[in-house]
Amino acid sequence: MSEPATPEASADADADTDATGRTDTDEQAAQRHEAATRVPGTGADAVVASLEAAGVETAFGVQGGAIMPVYDALSASTVDHITMAHEQGAVHAADAYGIVRGDPGVCMATSGPGATNLVTGIADASMDSDAMLALTGQVPSTMVGSDAFQETDTVGVTAPITKHNYFASDSDDVGRTVGEAFALANTGRPGPTLVDLPKDVTFGETDRPVGEPTPPKRSVPDPEADEEQVEAAARAIEQAERPLCLFGGGVIKGDATEEARAFAREFGIPVVTTMPGIGSFPEDDDLCLSWAGMHGTGYANMAITHTDCLIAVGTRFDDRLTGGVDTFAPEAEVVHVDIDPAEISKNVHADYPVVGDAATVIDQLDAAIGYAEAPDPEEWRAQCAEWREEYPMDYAIDADEPVRPEFVVEAFDAASDDDAYVTTGVGQHQMWAAQYWTYRHPRTFVSSHGLGTMGYGLPAAIGARIAADDDRQVISFEGDGSFLMTIQELSVAVRENLDITVVVLNNEYIGMVRQWQDAFFEGNHMASDYDWMPEFDTLAEAFGAKGFRIDDYDDVEDAVEGALAYDGPSVVDAHIDPEANVYPMVASGAANGLFALSEDQL
Amino acid sequence: MSREAERNEAAEETQDATTDGGTTHPAESPLTERARPADEEKPTTGLSGPRPEERPHPTGRRDEHGVRKEPDHGPEPTRRATVSALVEDEPGVLARAAGLFRRRQFNIESLTVGPTTVEGHSRITLVVEETEAGIDQAKKQLAKLTPVIAVGELSDDAVAAELVLLKVRGQEPDKVHAITSMYDGQTLDAGPRTITVQITGDENQIDDAIDAFHQFGIIEMARTGQTALERGDSPTTPGEEPGHSADDTEDDEFTNYDD
């Protein structure tokens, strides 16, 4: 099983991340081999053997009728099972576990409502290309199609939101199918896969060993890019006067942060990231302009607007990044590196497509760029530095006013370790957590990007906590609206005594909606006013967690220190300025360069 | 202390600005630094910086496909493409392909599916009407489906055929028969009230035939949609290996294009 990436203590500029390659001990390898060659008794035994053969250590799920045979077999397995309060908790926890580990997370649910409760999290993983395996119970094959009790067409429902899904139809094959699904999830462009397990198939007898998890041969892409593509892209980069690296989530998923950092530093090319790409490049590095897009920094959006050569790696040019495509990097030659050829020219035309694995391709590009011709865009770097001065992310504090959310984020950042994991829900609090926390390492920002799933943060913190080394801190920023959506998972954190710190940036609104209503709906706060919120600190205590409360600046220090020091789940109910809004902001479909710095500019 | 100042300080501390994995705290806690009345340089709402109209803006633009465009670029024309996909013959593969086209709003004219010479493989033939970028995207997304072995777009001179069954009023059997012969069709059923004929041919021939039969009054019609193969030696879908449903032999001997 691979270890989570840990920053190495090293003075070497290029060795500040650790790739999450699978590093089995001899014992682990022997265990996996034993599972692969073991003679199972039933289909359910084969499913579990397949998980063990894949090196799965933890699964998250909720029991139920149709999945019971699998759970029964799991009770005798080396795979730990974390029972969650709701299947949505299980799927988000598995998702975050996978993000932190760099291996697919595994979630399980029964048929019908169990499976449909996974749907949001599977869609989330699909949008963010997170490797994940979902196992769902199903009514017996003989009853499929009869609208039996707790029957849902899970394969049909999840087809559009999985990389691929399988309906297991044979006890002899089900183990191999699960192995294939696991391997496929992490092959090429990662994504969620699902295996639907009818009860008669898992109950049925089989003596067929499951073998090593193997993806379908056709699904394994060539990591190397075509030499001509590389050469063409290299020439374009050499000729650039204002080159800009755009590192997306694919840089992190492809374990290419080391190569990406070395590349940018070698040629002195400024870097912006996408939101999922946060942590691919240290945000305290002079070359880093943080992240671009709707709520990205002014300087990142200026750079992306004025670059003449955009070196985009592992990004799908989501509309939150590009704003209106017509005005996106309008003068840039686009070099687009991606493992998925279908992403090339999907949203933004790639002048120089380079299809391959991020780490491999960056090395190929690096080798192809001639040293004599290598860019060293000094003026451009100075220009970017100037923009950073012009558009600072600074804000004023007034001790008599309500607490600013940015301040709370920065206070936790200052008091926690550099390599802490941050998970978030979705909304204003997510943007502040992304803007005002300085990320230095890949996989440390665990969030719901493409789908924008409120309620992601707490279950993700549980998954991240279980995946991470014990000495790494896990902090979850939540909004009041987000937190209430999956708050039941706090019972799991208490039961497992997980050392997580939940920080609720509580403005008694679904604040991002309120911000839009103020800007575009004449301040009509229809259904966004959440003045009915419970006392989250008291509620946390009712769950058996530790509660803290922030009402003004004087409370911050004690709450931060107390919550971080508490060995177990703690909840900080931070009552922030209810009028605080997220800036910069690029209006939907507008030009990135027209980012608003305050409401009157929208 | 501003983030910028912190960043500069951090950069001065470490020449190459790398982290050592240890904990670094700012020289002053943000609490002591910030918890004081607002200074005039920092805004209390929003952020400071040049307003949108005070910034430089590039003049270039992209079109709806993200291609940098010439100033007088009009709407992009669509064209018809016939796409052939060799697929694993497993349950749901057709639903996956059809669902993909619905979900991504590719404009699909027809879709046919049938077996190939290889056990366990099927061929799906699709006709799409899309822009160049749309056709490219449709082919790539189709190729991404796990059960899809290979995808090819047929050239203009590929052979294509379609079948239509027409049920027309039977008052003028001789005339109906004449038109049927003209289109090399067959009469499948003839009664006193209705006549049913079968016509095969390329899309234009079928369209013409339907027009010709309108004079008799078409009661019902069933049309298959187009199926097609590449002419001569060219394979219809690019060279592919046997899928895992077929026998996985390391046999390089050429047998047929569907292998």
Side-chain angles (χ1 to χ4, degrees), chain A residues 168-480:
Chain A
S169 52
D170 188 319
S171 303
D172 282 340
D173 294 334
V174 65
R176 283 169 188 269
T177 302
V178 168
E180 180 176 305
F182 182 92
L184 177 63
N186 216 19
T187 300
R189 180 182 181 172
T193 58
L194 178 144
V195 185
D196 204 24
L197 303 164
K199 205 170 178 177
D200 57 328
V201 171
T202 51
F203 253 140
E205 292 182 1
T206 178
D207 57 2
R208 187 174 170 195
V210 298
E212 300 289 334
T214 314
K217 213 167 36 166
R218 275 193 316 274
S219 308
V220 185
D222 186 353
E224 294 228 340
D226 177 79
E227 208 48 56
E228 277 177 30
Q229 288 187 337
V230 172
E231 286 299 326
R235 298 295 84 78
I237 295 167
E238 283 167 1
Q239 280 155 31
E241 287 174 13
R242 304 186 300 280
L244 184 69
C245 290
L246 173 65
F247 293 152
V251 172
I252 294 171
K253 296 191 189 300
D255 288 326
T257 48
E258 211 176 308
E259 291 80 359
R261 292 172 183 202
F263 180 87
R265 285 169 180 156
E266 179 176 358
F267 302 116
I269 301 174
V271 175
V272 300
T273 73
T274 67
M275 223 174 109
I278 286 174
S280 59
F281 203 84
E283 291 185 325
D284 53 1
D285 187 304
D286 273 358
L287 276 178
C288 193
L289 302 167
S290 294
W291 50 283
M294 183 173 276
H295 292 296
T297 60
Y299 33 97
N301 282 323
M302 288 303 281
I304 219 162
T305 300
H306 292 275
T307 175
D308 67 353
C309 178
L310 188 64
I311 306 154
V313 186
T315 175
R316 57 186 180 81
F317 294 110
D318 179 277
D319 57 90
R320 300 283 116 157
L321 169 76
T322 60
V325 170
D326 58 330
T327 49
F328 178 72
E331 300 187 334
E333 296 273 295
V334 175
V335 176
H336 190 181
V337 179
D338 208 287
I339 190 73
D340 179 1
E343 282 308 329
I344 303 291
S345 299
K346 185 184 81 176
N347 293 336
V348 171
H349 177 74
D351 302 291
Y352 300 95
V354 196
V355 177
D357 164 72
T360 312
V361 171
I362 292 172
D363 282 344
Q364 284 179 281
L365 280 173
D366 191 70
I369 293 172
Y371 273 90
E373 296 85 11
D376 184 19
E378 232 175 308
E379 274 178 49
W380 170 238
R381 278 200 302 274
Q383 172 64 77
C384 290
E386 200 175 305
W387 281 326
R388 201 152 46 187
E389 296 289 331
E390 275 186 339
Y391 302 100
M393 296 294 287
D394 283 348
Y395 57 95
I397 291 293
D398 186 339
D400 300 329
E401 293 290 318
V403 178
R404 300 221 26 171
E406 303 94 327
F407 181 82
V408 177
V409 173
E410 285 190 332
F412 272 95
D413 189 10
S416 61
D417 300 339
D418 278 354
D419 61 1
Y421 292 98
V422 172
T423 78
T424 75
V426 167
Q428 288 183 319
H429 69 277
Q430 174 190 29
M431 297 302 140
W432 289 316
Q435 289 175 332
Y436 288 92
W437 188 285
T438 305
Y439 296 90
R440 298 173 176 85
H441 305 290
R443 305 185 187 280
T444 54
F445 182 60
V446 182
S447 193
S448 166
H449 303 282
L451 197 68
T453 311
M454 287 174 69
Y456 180 84
L458 173 59
I462 291 170
R465 173 72 283 160
I466 289 165
D469 286 348
D470 287 348
D471 60 353
R472 304 275 296 266
Q473 292 170 312
V474 175
I475 294 144
S476 179
F477 285 99
E478 291 279 6
D480 44 302

Side-chain angles (χ1 to χ4, degrees), chain B residues 88-236:
Chain B
E88 303 268 4
D89 182 17
E90 57 184 48
V93 63
L94 189 61
R96 284 178 206 277
L100 168 75
F101 276 66
R102 175 195 54 77
R103 185 162 85 241
R104 298 217 176 244
Q105 300 196 339
F106 297 132
N107 189 5
I108 185 167
E109 302 277 318
S110 72
L111 183 157
T112 62
V113 62
T116 69
T117 56
V118 175
E119 176 110 12
H121 287 183
S122 295
R123 181 180 301 286
I124 296 177
T125 309
L126 299 127
V127 178
V128 291
E129 169 100 32
E130 275 292 336
T131 61
E132 204 57 57
I135 291 166
D136 183 53
Q137 190 58 208
K139 289 189 293 191
K140 285 172 171 176
Q141 292 292 347
L142 197 56
K144 228 165 93 163
L145 295 176
T146 301
V148 173
I149 299 161
V151 174
E153 184 185 338
L154 282 85
S155 57
D156 289 343
D157 71 341
V159 288
E162 186 172 2
L163 180 148
V164 67
L165 301 180
L166 293 162
K167 187 186 284 183
V168 298
R169 298 196 188 283
Q171 281 86 337
E172 299 174 283
D174 292 353
K175 269 192 177 178
V176 172
H177 184 70
I179 302 271
T180 306
S181 303
M182 199 168 89
Y183 286 100
D184 285 338
Q186 290 170 287
T187 303
L188 302 180
D189 176 47
R193 298 166 60 76
T194 67
I195 299 170
T196 304
V197 301
Q198 162 191 316
I199 311 284
T200 53
D202 67 22
E203 199 186 6
N204 292 336
Q205 289 168 314
I206 302 274
D207 287 344
D208 288 353
I210 291 169
D211 284 346
F213 279 98
H214 265 301
Q215 58 182 299
F216 310 115
I218 298 175
I219 301 165
E220 287 179 332
M221 175 170 100
R223 200 170 164 169
T224 60
Q226 202 180 106
T227 191
L229 286 175
E230 206 51 86
R231 225 174 257 278
D233 277 344
S234 319
T236 298

Side-chain angles (χ1 to χ4, degrees), chain B residues 57-81:
Chain B
H57 296 289
T59 52
R61 286 293 176 267
R62 293 178 183 272
D63 69 10
E64 65 273 24
H65 300 298
V67 182
R68 274 174 301 152
K69 59 183 182 185
E70 303 304 312
D72 57 350
H73 176 95
E76 210 183 329
T78 60
R79 70 175 176 89
R80 231 159 204 246

